[in-house]
Amino acid sequence: MPQPETTMAKLDATTPQPIQLKDYTPPSFLIDKVDLTFDLEEDHTRVTSRLVLHRNPAHPDARAALQLDGRELELESVKLDGELLDSSRYELDAESLSIAAMPDNAILEIVTVIHPETNTSLNGLYRSGANFYSQCEAEGFRKITYYLDRPDVMARFSTTIVADKQKWPVLLSNGNKVGEGMLDRNRHWVKWVDPFKKPAYLFALVAGKLSLLADRYTTTSGREVALEIWVEPADLDKCAHAMSSVKKSMQWDEQRYGLEYDLDTYMIVAVGDFNMGAMENKGLNIFNTKYVLARADTATDVDFDGIEAVIAHEYFHNWTGNRVTCRDWFQLSLKEGLTVFRDQEFSADMGSAEVCRIDAVRTLRTHQFAEDAGPMAHPIRPESYIEINNFYTVTVYEKGAEVVRMYQTLLGRDGFRKGMDLYFKRHDGQAVTCDDFRAAMADANDYDLGQFARWYSQAGTPVLRVRGQYDAAAQTYTLEVSQSCPATPGQAEKLPFHIPLTLGLVGPDGADLPLQLAGEAEAVAGSRVLSVKEASQTFHFINVAVEPVPSLLRNFSAPVKLDFPYSRPQLVHLLAHDSDAFCRWEAGQTLMLQDLQGLIDAARSGGELELKDDFVAAMRRVLADESLDPALVALMLTLPAETYLADQQDEIDPDAIRAGREAMKLGLARALRSEFKAAYTRMLDSGAYQYEATAVARRSLKNIALAYLSELDESGLMELAERQFAEANNMTDAQAALACLVNWPEGDAALASFASKWADEALVMDKWFTLQASSRRLGVVAKIKALMQHPAFALTNPNKVRSLIGTFVHNNLAGFHAIDGSGYEFAADTLLAVDKLNPQVAARLAGSFNRWKKLEPVRRAHMRAALERVAAHAGLSRDVYEIVSKNLM
Ligand code: PHE
Ligand code: ZN
């Protein structure tokens, strides 16, 4: 194991201190009202803030000082109740402004100057091109003015924006526009008032030259809402899908949860420079362009899906996040896990529920299981953090959503709705905790969720070990279930979780057997949910007429790893017959994983790389079955990611993983060549592009068939990809064909024509970078470096960094892990350069080191050296420091 003492010692002088959940105390003051004025200029912005405050009776010290958060601010003046304070009356440091002698009620007026024009962090107020945008979650508001920048301080905001009318004609903020007018020097002003109390993280401001797509929506109770999407003028023809997604989301939340929108205007603004996907600022959501802009020829089906889901997500936050918010940032999953669950349920209702569920499970397993097994493992409600921005994770979001889903699985859909209703009844307008949510679910259903709390406090992926025993004479089937959870940093021992285990028993004819537990009067048809609460537990099924194959963890009823010793014929049986689509897919994946592991082992030891006949036959049947949903067929034929395979190894050899996985692709392509060709032809569609479930499903199967066929080095098949690339009337087909071509010499011409066609479309150029960063051609580090010089690339733009560098370090396992360590050197250099500009984006790149301890020894040594070099770098951000130091612990 590494001895990082020397490196750590160097860091000690400036070591950032962790913030602990157990140290939570209520704020010493509360803010009733805040009036902001922004004077926007090219070379600075002046912010005047008027705060109405009162002492918080809930704070333990009735004479406590007022300590306002603030960073990178130039303080011009502070007035307390109208009196200008000289610097002896307050204390100022790099992170705060403190006033010791405070009356119980006060009005504070603070003037600060900030510099959005040089702010590359995209946090606080910043410029993108000539326009101004803000991003305040989690702690960006303190870069705008001195404030109690914590979510349990909720105030009523008004915002006046003053700016040159020619340069910044559109001036937006939260709430309702209440006035506007002209001033001297051709400047204009607009005033906005938000009637709802909100924490500062939901504040937003936008100013610039923007075009508007406008529409209307009438809520069930008859409220007329103006819907507005604001984008750069050139993008106005790519907003229709986003607008229809808004309307669908509004309608769905009314039908499913009885929740209506609460303001007269709902605004969405799209910006090309954005750290995350989108942000739910009250009444003024700000989105990454990636999750707004789509036209058939510029965006893929996956992009259309993503837009629909993210639009829904941000809209749903208006209730789960804004009306009821988080007490502190440790409770982040309260709003994020719940809102992801809500957007998943929405997407399931919009398209294929089965396909959505399998996609969600794939994401969870590929990314969250990896996080749970690495140095950054944390529970969905973390207990400490150094930089909160590092905790916008797949654990808080996706595992958080799985935890919310388990309430619904245990309580039923109606029970879950009752819990939601009670949650809003109790907590509307409040800043609350995950325990408050759990209490609402328990109380509304009179259900004991005491043990369920462990899902919030224990990190790691539990393993559910299940063994089955059929007794033909007694006609019983006994399931022995035991659970365990591996140690994670800071948590050696785990207590048993409350796990909902949804299951069925599949008979020899493929139909579900009736389910009756010993002691029960009647049997249940189909599936049922067992509550697993003990470390070990036994379930006795009676009246089981024939030996069943158990179908376990149906619909992925809990975020756990299942350990059941299925035989290959049992897996083939489930793949063919299980009434649960997730389990059918899972049976195929289990077979596939077993064989992939065999291939990887063979690649490592120099053995034969051959596929097993029963597996090939099963895949042949899947591919030929025209009664199946083509989207499900495509998913069944999709191989797990290289990184997921890496996480199944005791010691990672990236070259063996690549070789094994490529052998599986080639083997299937050879064996099923005619079936793939038939499926490709069957799925061809000559009509105009439509984003609609059936058409999307057909394209997904067509394009996976093309991907397999292009593995075969045959000119006719290469022509198929070239023809599809040249003739495609939509980006889904064009990109899929290009993805096949890039691995071959034919790809160069296609890449060049793609780049010249789309040079002015930033989001399409992102795809061009992504495709090349995932290429399996040799010498990819040099290629990436060359692409960083391309005019469309910019180190300051997060989408570009993610497309090119993020894809390479996170997804191109064999490329990044080149045996000479060149990938790690490149990652270290690049993340240090990015850290100077944008620490949040740099920290995400640093996550590419998280697997280092599991690598084979040569690469492990290279990676450790790169990590130590980063750790020793002077002036590291807290964001990167946290990731790197936890890796070296
Ligand atoms: N709260 C945003 C969401 O999940 C994500 C986000 C976090 C955006 C931090 C920006 C900054 O919808
Ligand atoms: Zn969210």
Side-chain angles (χ1 to χ4, degrees), residues 699-744:
R699 279 189 290 274
S700 70
L701 177 52
K702 177 181 71 182
N703 286 323
I704 200 157
L706 182 67
Y708 275 106
L709 290 169
S710 76
E711 293 294 312
L712 302 170
D713 191 5
E714 291 175 34
S715 64
L717 296 173
M718 219 32 76
E719 277 163 27
L720 204 59
E722 285 179 307
R723 183 160 5 108
Q724 177 168 320
F725 178 71
E727 292 173 5
N729 68 355
N730 66 81
M731 182 53 76
T732 305
D733 288 341
Q735 189 205 41
L738 187 54
C740 298
L741 295 170
V742 288
N743 291 312
W744 301 91

Side-chain angles (χ1 to χ4, degrees), residues 280 313-314 317 335-336 339 397:
E280 70 265 23
H313 180 96
E314 304 313 326
H317 265 317
K335 73 177 177 81
E336 295 305 346
T339 306
Y397 275 67

Side-chain angles (χ1 to χ4, degrees), residues 12 58 88 142 158 171 173 184 203 212 499 537 693 787 803:
D12 268 346
S88 69
R142 63 187 62 188
S158 84
L171 305 176
S173 190
D184 58 347
F203 170 80
L212 169 66
I499 299 174
Q537 230 167 316
L787 284 168
S803 303

Side-chain angles (χ1 to χ4, degrees), residues 86 126 220 266 461 483 659 684 705 738 872 886:
D86 66 47
Y126 64 94
T220 308
Y266 180 55
T461 309
Q483 56 166 308
L684 277 176
L738 187 54
K886 287 183 175 173

Side-chain angles (χ1 to χ4, degrees), residues 671-694:
L672 306 179
R673 184 183 184 286
S674 59
E675 286 83 356
F676 280 125
K677 279 201 95 169
Y680 183 85
T681 312
R682 202 162 71 235
M683 295 296 128
L684 277 176
D685 192 346
S686 52
Y689 174 86
Q690 277 192 54
Y691 174 71
E692 169 278 317
T694 315

Side-chain angles (χ1 to χ4, degrees), residues 312-481:
H313 180 96
E314 304 313 326
Y315 174 74
F316 296 159
H317 265 317
N318 191 52
W319 278 95
T320 50
N322 302 3
R323 291 288 288 255
V324 184
T325 195
C326 302
R327 186 193 72 172
D328 54 75
W329 292 120
F330 296 101
Q331 319 296 329
L332 183 57
S333 202
L334 172 74
K335 73 177 177 81
E336 295 305 346
L338 176 54
T339 306
V340 171
F341 170 72
R342 276 152 55 64
D343 84 56
Q344 288 177 348
E345 292 284 273
F346 165 77
S347 295
D349 284 351
M350 294 302 111
S352 158
E354 297 172 338
V355 169
C356 284
R357 187 67 190 131
I358 293 169
D359 277 337
V361 175
R362 277 169 47 95
T363 303
L364 188 84
R365 281 190 181 150
T366 310
H367 303 291
Q368 199 280 323
F369 281 19
E371 190 161 81
D372 250 349
M376 280 293 291
H378 54 277
I380 65 167
R381 184 190 58 210
E383 248 119 60
S384 86
Y385 59 76
I386 290 176
E387 172 51 64
I388 184 59
N389 286 319
N390 285 331
F391 286 81
Y392 287 77
T393 58
V394 274
T395 298
V396 166
Y397 275 67
E398 269 71 24
K399 184 174 181 179
E402 293 299 322
V403 170
V404 174
R405 182 178 296 277
M406 287 191 285
Y407 288 110
Q408 180 169 278
T409 304
L410 289 168
L411 303 171
R413 215 185 247 209
D414 293 342
F416 185 78
R417 169 68 195 266
K418 278 194 219 151
M420 290 288 278
D421 290 349
L422 184 59
Y423 175 64
F424 293 120
K425 189 165 161 228
R426 283 182 176 170
H427 301 300
D428 188 13
Q430 299 176 5
V432 304
T433 66
C434 297
D435 286 332
D436 293 319
F437 182 78
R438 187 168 51 88
M441 286 291 156
D443 296 347
N445 292 282
D446 198 13
Y447 189 98
D448 180 3
L449 289 166
Q451 187 181 344
F452 195 84
R454 290 176 190 158
W455 284 110
Y456 289 92
S457 58
Q458 298 188 141
T461 309
V463 177
L464 199 61
R465 185 180 187 277
V466 183
R467 294 293 181 269
Q469 186 72 48
Y470 182 62
D471 183 334
Q475 305 249 297
T476 61
Y477 189 72
T478 304
L479 272 185
E480 276 175 41
V481 181

